[in-house]
């Protein structure tokens, strides 16, 4: 539960609520970027961050992201995170 | 080669393992008189077993698996209260999937869902917020669970709900903190701990200074570690170097992610939304002073304990653990999972009796899944 998974910020979805679209292990979902915001939200586009339960918690570089993803794939955590995101989407539709 | 191939740099791993072995010999660590190193984080416990690190390191190093899996330390009374809230009319109860199978005294959340309660697994508290927006006629409750890594996400969600004036969203707060149970373990005269591997992602939020007391007051080294096998091995090495040199300091092996003073936005949100409870019950460890968080009065409208009159708001309820369950002894390093009479018979991942078997981050589940890894498979 306490592991973060690397995701890449690919779009800003709601500047006011500090929300952006992140690609996490092949899955795209909206995440909150308040904790990593240091300037204009657009500056985050293309950046990597550790994503934890829908929140970007720390900026990381691309090399660190690749290493962490590999480690998490070995641990089975990357797949688990992708499944949890899909489960979250189902919950919103009342199917979870 | 089964495990060795999973290191990205087996040569580096072997070099670190050799240095660990050399230092262990130098400080006189043997199988009979080992150095006890506690990894606090459940993610580290999982990684240690997954990569067979406990088998790879010198036999004079013994890992003690600390209370760092939030699902594992959740008392049964709190699971019972989750079920009670979920069964109230008009409630949508939302939770991380990890918590679904944790046994309560009568049932788990999964069993309550099967019995008709509207319980939904979400990935994020943001999903619970969205459910509240979409279902204004329902009361959406989020099961806030976890250590400092997860705590800011719930805090930021409560702040967002307040900004929007969402009146049908609340949090059943079970957030807990890392330093206090470590202090409780260090105060336990039966515990033998020589050093710690500190949690990486908790420290990303709180920084490294909340552990200063471990070095200063108890004279024990602690090294904050990342989650790759090499991170863990390097951290064990750093602990051993401190022991050899007679030092006790807080060191940061995971500096590429963990800032010395933590994340300021997260810390500000935590401070704004929560305050320490006088005490909180931990499964297997009992009540620990100031180890849990509750929602401050200014956010009372978002506190499910207040709005449903349950939990500590209704008075503490301590529930005895199931008979024969030795989770508490495992968590304090008194016995190994295999030393529990229920391990593998009355308690398996499919039918868990105790919480350490529920989550993949629990010591018993990790033992069950990976306990067979042998050093011969790992390094040949």
């Amino acid at each position: 539960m306490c592991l973060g998974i690397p995701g890449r910020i690919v779009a800003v979805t709601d500047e006011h609520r500090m929300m952006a679209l992140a690609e996490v292990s092949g899955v795209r979902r909206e995440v909150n970027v308040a904790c990593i915001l240091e300037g204009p939200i657009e500056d985050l586009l293309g950046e990597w961050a550790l994503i934890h339960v829908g929140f970007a918690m720390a900026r990381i570089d691309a090399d660190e992201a690749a290493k962490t993803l590999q480690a998490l794939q070995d641990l089975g955590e990357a797949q688990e995170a992708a499944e949890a995101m899909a489960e979250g989407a189902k919950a919103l539709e009342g199917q979870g | 080669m089964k495990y060795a191939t999973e290191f990205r740099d087996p040569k580096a791993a072997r070099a670190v393992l050799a240095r660990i072995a050399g230092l262990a010999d130098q400080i006189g660590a043997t199988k009979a008189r080992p150095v006890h190193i506690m990894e606090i984080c459940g993610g580290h416990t999982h990684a240690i077993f997954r990569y067979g690190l406990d088998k790879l390191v010198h036999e004079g190093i013994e890992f003690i698996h600390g209370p760092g899996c939030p699902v594992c330390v959740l008392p049964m009374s709190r699971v019972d209260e989750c079920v009670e809230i979920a069964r109230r009319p008009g409630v949508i109860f939302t939770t991380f999937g990890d918590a679904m199978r944790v046994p309560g005294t009568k049932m788990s959340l999964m069993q309550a869902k099967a019995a008709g309660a509207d319980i939904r697994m979400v990935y994020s508290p943001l999903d619970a917020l969205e459910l509240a927006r979409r279902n204004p006629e329902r009361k959406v409750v989020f099961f806030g669970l976890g250590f400092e890594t997860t705590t800011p996400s719930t805090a930021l969600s409560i702040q967002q709900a307040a900004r929007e004036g969402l009146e049908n969203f609340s949090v059943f707060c079970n957030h807990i903190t890392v330093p206090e149970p470590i202090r409780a373990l260090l105060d336990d005269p039966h515990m033998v701990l020589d050093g710690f591997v500190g949690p990486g992602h908790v420290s990303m939020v709180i920084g490294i200074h909340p552990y200063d007391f471990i070095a200063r007051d108890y004279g024990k080294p602690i090294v904050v570690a990342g989650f790759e096998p090499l991170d863990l091995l390097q951290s064990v090495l750093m602990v051993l170097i401190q022991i050899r040199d007679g030092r006790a300091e807080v060191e940061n092996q995971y500096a590429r992610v963990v800032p010395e003073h933590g994340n300021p936005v997260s810390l500000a949100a935590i401070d704004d939304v929560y305050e320490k409870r006088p005490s909180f019950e931990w499964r297997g460890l009992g009540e620990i002073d100031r180890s849990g968080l509750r929602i401050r009065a200014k956010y009372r409208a978002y506190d499910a304990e207040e709005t449903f009159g349950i939990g500590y708001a209704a008075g503490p309820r301590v529930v005895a653990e199931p008979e024969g369950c030795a989770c508490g002894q495992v968590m304090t390093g008194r016995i190994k999972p295999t030393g529990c009479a229920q391990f593998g018979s009355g308690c398996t991942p499919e039918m868990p009796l105790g919480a350490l078997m529920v989550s993949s981050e629990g010591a018993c589940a990790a033992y069950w899944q990976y306990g067979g890894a042998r050093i011969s498979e790992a390094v040949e």
Side-chain angles (χ1 to χ4, degrees):
Chain A
M1 175 184 288
C2 290
L3 296 183
I5 185 160
R8 197 166 188 213
I9 309 296
V10 294
V12 174
T13 53
D14 186 336
E15 185 175 350
H16 180 64
R17 276 162 49 194
M18 291 176 275
M19 300 297 288
L21 199 63
E23 194 168 288
V24 183
S25 204
V27 178
R28 288 186 167 204
R29 80 152 278 152
E30 209 179 21
V31 300
N32 182 295
V33 294
C35 295
I36 60 165
L37 213 49
E38 288 165 1
I41 195 166
E42 289 77 22
D43 288 358
L44 293 176
L45 290 174
E47 293 286 319
W48 286 89
L50 271 183
I51 312 286
H52 178 67
V53 299
F55 288 76
M57 298 301 295
R59 285 202 213 198
I60 50 174
D61 63 32
D63 184 46
E64 171 65 22
K67 281 186 189 168
T68 306
L69 264 178
Q70 182 63 51
L72 293 175
Q73 273 155 10
D74 290 348
L75 284 172
E77 293 284 342
Q79 182 63 23
E80 209 171 280
E83 284 168 11
M85 282 177 206
E87 201 64 51
K90 280 198 311 190
L92 294 181
E93 305 305 326
Q95 306 160 16
Chain B
M1 290 298 289
K2 188 177 172 192
Y3 291 90
T5 50
E6 283 154 358
F7 289 106
R8 269 162 301 293
D9 188 353
K11 270 188 195 166
R14 288 205 185 93
V16 178
L17 284 166
R19 290 193 64 198
I20 288 173
L23 272 168
D25 285 337
Q26 206 179 333
I27 61 178
T30 62
K31 192 174 183 181
R33 295 186 61 187
V35 170
H36 295 90
I37 297 178
M38 174 175 275
E39 87 279 359
I40 298 166
C41 171
H44 283 158
T45 303
H46 185 182
I48 285 167
F49 284 104
R50 174 69 179 84
Y51 298 109
L53 302 185
D54 58 321
K55 307 290 197 310
L56 286 169
V57 294
H58 184 278
E59 61 179 9
I61 310 295
E62 187 167 336
F63 287 107
I64 307 291
H65 316 296
C69 164
V71 170
C72 300
V73 296
L74 186 69
M76 291 180 111
S77 59
R78 300 298 276 184
V79 179
D80 289 346
E81 283 152 2
C82 287
V83 171
E84 209 175 315
I85 295 172
R87 291 178 133 183
R88 298 272 179 100
V91 166
I92 299 174
F93 192 85
T94 59
T95 175
F96 295 135
D98 311 41
M100 288 294 280
R101 289 190 307 121
V102 186
T105 53
K106 293 189 184 70
M107 63 175 76
S108 65
L109 283 168
M110 189 167 277
Q111 288 163 328
K113 181 180 169 72
D118 191 348
I119 297 173
R120 304 192 197 180
M121 278 188 275
V122 290
Y123 163 67
S124 165
L126 297 172
D127 296 337
L129 270 186
E130 184 58 25
L131 272 171
R133 291 186 197 108
R134 291 186 191 186
N135 298 277
E137 75 293 353
R138 306 282 298 274
K139 290 175 186 162
V140 177
V141 182
F142 177 70
F143 183 19
L145 173 68
F147 287 100
E148 290 91 336
T149 323
T150 313
T151 307
S153 59
T154 318
L156 289 160
S157 299
I158 289 173
Q159 288 176 325
Q160 180 65 35
R163 276 195 296 272
E164 290 180 39
L166 267 179
E167 291 177 355
N168 62 330
F169 172 79
S170 63
V171 171
F172 182 47
C173 184
N174 288 269
H175 288 296
I176 45 180
T177 56
V178 162
E180 288 74 15
I182 300 309
R183 186 186 289 279
L185 289 172
L186 283 164
D187 282 337
D188 181 340
H190 300 292
M191 290 295 296
V192 182
L193 295 171
D194 300 301
F196 292 88
V197 171
H201 290 156
V202 159
S203 310
M204 166 176 81
V205 171
I206 65 175
I208 63 169
H209 291 297
Y211 313 119
D212 285 349
F213 74 95
I214 296 174
R216 185 189 59 231
D217 301 343
Y218 295 89
K220 309 287 183 192
I222 173 166
V223 177
V224 172
F227 293 88
E228 293 187 53
L230 267 176
D231 286 327
L232 283 160
L233 291 178
Q234 281 167 354
S235 300
V236 169
L237 180 63
M238 289 165 76
V239 168
L240 292 180
I241 290 171
Q242 287 200 43
I243 292 173
R244 180 199 62 189
D245 296 348
R247 288 185 291 123
E249 293 168 15
V250 184
E251 292 182 322
N252 187 5
Q253 183 275 338
Y254 200 32
R256 61 190 192 272
V257 170
V258 173
E260 182 183 346
H261 296 288
N263 182 287
V265 178
S266 297
L267 291 171
I270 290 172
D271 185 53
D272 178 48
V273 173
Y274 311 107
E275 61 189 358
K276 291 275 180 93
R277 295 178 191 269
S279 76
F280 192 73
E281 187 198 348
W282 293 58
R283 188 186 288 232
L285 301 178
E287 292 278 339
I288 301 178
D289 289 349
R290 299 178 65 74
S291 64
L293 302 176
R294 68 182 174 204
I295 295 166
R296 288 188 189 276
K298 72 177 191 178
Y299 291 109
R300 181 169 287 157
Y302 302 97
D303 184 350
E305 281 187 76
E306 293 290 335
T307 53
F308 291 90
I310 210 165
Y312 282 82
R317 293 192 309 191
V318 177
V319 175
E321 292 304 307
E323 204 169 324
C325 176
C327 278
Q329 287 167 276
V330 174
M331 233 179 311
T332 49
R334 287 181 171 85
I335 63 168
K336 294 289 180 192
T338 43
C340 173
Q342 298 291 341
F343 182 81
S345 54
C347 186
T348 63
E350 289 71 38
M351 290 289 286
L353 175 72
L356 292 183
M357 196 56 105
V358 173
S359 159
S360 60
E361 294 181 5
C364 295
Y367 246 73
W368 178 259
Q369 195 173 359
Y370 302 118
R374 302 306 317 173
I375 192 162
S376 57
E377 291 176 319
V379 296
E380 271 171 11

